[in-house]
Amino acid sequence: MSLRVRVLVWSLILRSFYIQPSQLRAAEAHNEPTYVGARVCAECHTGPASGNQYSLWLASKHSQSYAALTKPEAEQIARLSGARQEPEATVHCLSCHSSAANAEPRQRQRTYRIEDGVQCETCHGPGSEHVARQRAGTRSPCCREELRRPTKQLCLRCHLQQTSHAVVLKARAFDLEQAWREIAHPRPTGWQMGGIPELPASGGNQHPGPKYVGAYTCGQCHRGARFNHQYSRWRRSPHARAWAVLGTPRAREIAREEGVDGDPQRDPRCLRCHTTVGTAPRQLVASTYEIDEGVGCEACHGPGSEYMTEAIMRDRQAARRNGLREVSKEVCKPCHENAHAKAPRAGLSSPALPSNIQWAQ
Ligand code: HEC
Ligand code: HEC
Ligand code: HEC
Ligand code: HEC
Ligand code: HEC
Ligand code: HEC
Ligand code: HEC
Ligand code: HEC
């Protein structure tokens, strides 16, 4: 290889590893906005007075689109598309199934989570400037410059006919008008900012024993092929939407029938079965726990703060001594037996306990 070719090859290799200082300066000079992730948007865009945007999104397929890349069908699609890595690591798949797939690491804040799939900023553009301005209280009629108002053209960038998908999924054709209505999350008149509610604090201040750390923490290890994609499998299940569905019009209908008025996402009578910790006091949860996870890993496996270190996890006895629970049907019953029995007209499919408890995995 001639020297010039070698220099060229090396500079290409290095460029793929290092951010060029000149690039960084350019980004700073332009004050380029970065991706903050959907939970940051939820700081203001959730709750009934805001139009429940976050919950409507979390209850939609878009929030599961990254998790979908671990379905058996994904492997088939990947094969047909000639992908050489697993779908979760293939930029081609991620470009439609997640946010910021092609962004440089510096364009993603620490709060950004690829696991959230197609999220607010996938459609509205990176939101750091909007968030900074709104947090500072500069309530300018801002957003037209800071954020994108999506057009139908944007949907079609991902929702286009693809042979690989058509062959494997045999899905119905994409109906743009209907899909647009399906994902609608308008602001109501008299719009007000909301936020993800906090758990009620209890009277006492001492709560010894294990604390709930949240499914996202478990998911830091329980992911990938080695762990049989446990986090993504859970993410695709209705349990991961259990809190989100309390923010839908359907939930308000059910709540009315059951004599609960007010916001179901804050009412202990609904939270009891639609979240991991139900009505447990705040002192029982670690700072990493998130109420919006719905029914997370620890709802079935027990609070994890004491057993979740790798050394204990690998030791069955030690894990059980530290609070890891055997999952039997007794665990499912308090939530599933007679759920919504008082609202037969709500038409829930089968409040009875499913016969196969393996379903959860
Ligand atoms: C600190 C509070 C806050 C946070 C966090 C926040 N927003 Fe907003 N957002 C607002 C307020 C307030 C408005 C209304 C401003 C107005 O009417 O001019 C708004 C308006 C919007 C609009 C409407 C724009 C339009 O054309 O009228 C969109 C879209 C939006 N936000 C998306 C987001 C996204 C995406 C995120 C996360 C990246 C986010 N917001 C985070 C407070 C917030
Ligand atoms: C051009 C955008 C685009 C690309 C690239 C793409 N997908 Fe998709 N994918 C979609 C859309 C849109 C859907 C929704 C289903 C439909 O209507 O076709 C979907 C659906 C799926 C589903 C079904 C999800 C479910 O809930 O059942 C799987 C699995 C999937 N894609 C896997 C992949 C894999 C693996 C790759 C990479 C080899 C990939 N996709 C690349 C846009 C894309
Ligand atoms: C799949 C794309 C998509 C995703 C994901 C998405 N939005 Fe939107 N958003 C839209 C579209 C489309 C509109 C309506 C634009 C219009 O009517 O002109 C909209 C409108 C809005 C508005 C303005 C509503 C109004 O009444 O003016 C807000 C605020 C907003 N979105 C916030 C969010 C937040 C917060 C998230 C994430 C929790 C989110 N969006 C996720 C596509 C999306
Ligand atoms: C970045 C790519 C992307 C964009 C942009 C996008 N979507 Fe999607 N959408 C997906 C993927 C991927 C899925 C499949 C998720 C799954 O099934 O796990 C999906 C699923 C959906 C579904 C559910 C389909 C079903 O079979 O239940 C609807 C409805 C939808 N999108 C509407 C829209 C609309 C309306 C827009 C434009 C405002 C839009 N999407 C923009 C990638 C995208
Ligand atoms: C630091 C990484 C890590 C974290 C965090 C973690 N785990 Fe584990 N977990 C492991 C390992 C490693 C194993 C053992 C796997 C094996 O031996 O095949 C395991 C095993 C398990 C098992 C099977 C154990 C048995 O004896 O039957 C369950 C159930 C489990 N973990 C649940 C959880 C839950 C729930 C959380 C969150 C509260 C969690 N784990 C957090 C690494 C972790
Ligand atoms: C005793 C436990 C329990 C309580 C309390 C409870 N739920 Fe549920 N809820 C469930 C179970 C279990 C399901 C799933 C049932 C099924 O799909 O068969 C469910 C499903 C739902 C659904 C999904 C329906 C759908 O169409 O997909 C909504 C919405 C809902 N509940 C709202 C509420 C509201 C609002 C409250 C408070 C008034 C509440 N739930 C209280 C256990 C409960
Ligand atoms: C709805 C209840 C439920 C939820 C939520 C749940 N699991 Fe499980 N999990 C189960 C059941 C049931 C089993 C099977 C137990 C058995 O066979 O004895 C199981 C088994 C496991 C195992 C052992 C698997 C094996 O092959 O031995 C691991 C590890 C695990 N779960 C981790 C998780 C993680 C991580 C999460 C959250 C991302 C989670 N689980 C969420 C009910 C649940
Ligand atoms: C903390 C309460 C809670 C526990 C514990 C729990 N579930 Fe659930 N489960 C729910 C709620 C709430 C829903 C409805 C979520 C939704 O539709 O959005 C649900 C939904 C389901 C569904 C989907 C039903 C449908 O019609 O789509 C199955 C299956 C299921 N659970 C199985 C189990 C099994 C098996 C166990 C025990 C290993 C278990 N659950 C433990 C609360 C719970």
Side-chain angles (χ1 to χ4, degrees):
M1 239 195 286
S2 80
L3 184 63
R4 265 178 54 196
V5 172
R6 258 183 289 171
V7 168
L8 185 70
V9 167
W10 270 105
S11 70
L12 282 175
I13 291 174
L14 287 173
R15 201 180 302 171
S16 63
F17 283 114
Y18 299 109
I19 299 164
Q20 302 268 307
S22 60
Q23 262 177 331
L24 207 59
R25 273 197 300 276
E28 274 166 14
H30 289 102
N31 219 348
E32 202 180 80
T34 51
Y35 291 88
V36 299
R39 290 194 91 250
V40 173
C41 312
E43 238 173 67
C44 304
H45 291 287
T46 199
S50 76
N52 275 321
Q53 274 117 14
Y54 178 69
S55 297
L56 292 176
W57 164 77
L58 190 54
S60 82
K61 285 271 191 187
H62 283 143
S63 76
Q64 297 171 27
S65 54
Y66 175 82
L69 293 177
T70 58
K71 283 184 135 182
E73 296 91 316
E75 251 170 66
Q76 289 171 271
I77 291 176
R79 246 196 321 275
L80 283 177
S81 318
R84 292 208 203 95
Q85 286 168 294
E86 53 180 35
E88 281 173 297
T90 302
V91 173
H92 170 64
C93 309
L94 292 174
S95 68
C96 291
H97 283 263
S98 79
S99 252
N102 296 312
E104 311 261 351
R106 73 185 150 80
Q107 291 175 300
R108 300 177 191 159
Q109 306 265 344
R110 255 187 317 174
T111 46
Y112 164 86
R113 294 177 182 178
I114 195 163
E115 294 85 349
D116 282 336
V118 174
Q119 45 182 305
C120 322
E121 292 165 294
T122 319
C123 294
H124 292 290
S128 62
E129 278 179 17
H130 171 64
V131 171
R133 264 218 249 184
Q134 294 303 339
R135 277 191 185 150
T138 338
R139 294 264 222 116
S140 53
C142 57
C143 316
R144 259 150 277 266
E145 309 128 47
E146 289 165 6
L147 290 170
R148 198 190 298 139
R149 251 192 188 255
T151 61
K152 292 182 177 161
Q153 218 41 50
L154 177 80
C155 317
L156 295 177
R157 243 192 259 168
C158 298
H159 287 275
L160 42 87
Q161 271 290 358
Q162 295 181 88
T163 315
S164 64
H165 286 57
V167 167
V168 174
L169 301 174
K170 302 179 184 72
R172 61 194 153 91
F174 183 66
D175 179 340
L176 180 55
E177 298 306 323
Q178 193 200 323
W180 186 269
R181 283 194 297 275
E182 216 173 286
I183 67 137
H185 42 276
R187 288 183 286 174
T189 41
W191 185 81
Q192 270 174 13
M193 285 195 277
I196 297 175
E198 289 201 4
L199 290 169
S202 80
N205 42 25
Q206 284 300 318
H207 280 279
K211 290 187 164 56
Y212 293 90
V213 299
Y216 192 69
T217 303
C218 311
Q220 295 306 302
C221 297
H222 286 270
R223 63 192 305 140
R226 186 176 149 242
F227 279 103
N228 202 10
H229 303 290
Q230 273 141 359
Y231 180 79
S232 284
R233 281 158 166 264
W234 165 76
R235 210 39 218 263
R236 293 201 309 263
S237 80
H239 286 141
R241 298 192 297 267
W243 182 80
V245 298
L246 294 178
T248 59
R250 179 102 174 94
R252 282 189 289 283
E253 225 174 85
I254 292 175
R256 226 178 1 259
E257 287 192 37
E258 298 189 12
V260 170
D261 37 58
D263 181 3
Q265 287 185 317
R266 291 171 186 268
D267 197 302
R269 285 170 290 180
C270 306
L271 295 178
R272 176 159 78 85
C273 300
H274 282 262
T275 60
T276 304
V277 305
T279 52
R282 202 186 295 162
Q283 288 88 334
L284 273 185
V285 306
S287 62
T288 48
Y289 170 76
E290 296 161 348
I291 192 172
D292 49 315
E293 71 174 30
V295 177
C297 321
E298 293 161 293
C300 296
H301 291 291
S305 65
E306 308 301 309
Y307 66 70
M308 68 166 187
T309 60
E310 177 138 9
I312 294 179
M313 288 258 67
R314 286 187 182 284
D315 178 342
R316 280 182 71 89
Q317 258 64 46
R320 275 148 191 79
R321 275 200 307 278
N322 285 283
L324 184 69
R325 202 156 63 184
E326 292 298 339
V327 188
S328 72
K329 288 191 181 182
E330 294 309 310
V331 170
C332 325
K333 275 183 183 167
C335 296
H336 278 276
E337 258 185 7
N338 295 319
H340 298 294
K342 275 192 256 148
R345 276 176 302 127
L348 290 178
S349 51
S350 66
L353 183 62
S355 56
N356 180 9
I357 71 161
Q358 290 286 352
W359 172 86
Q361 291 302 321

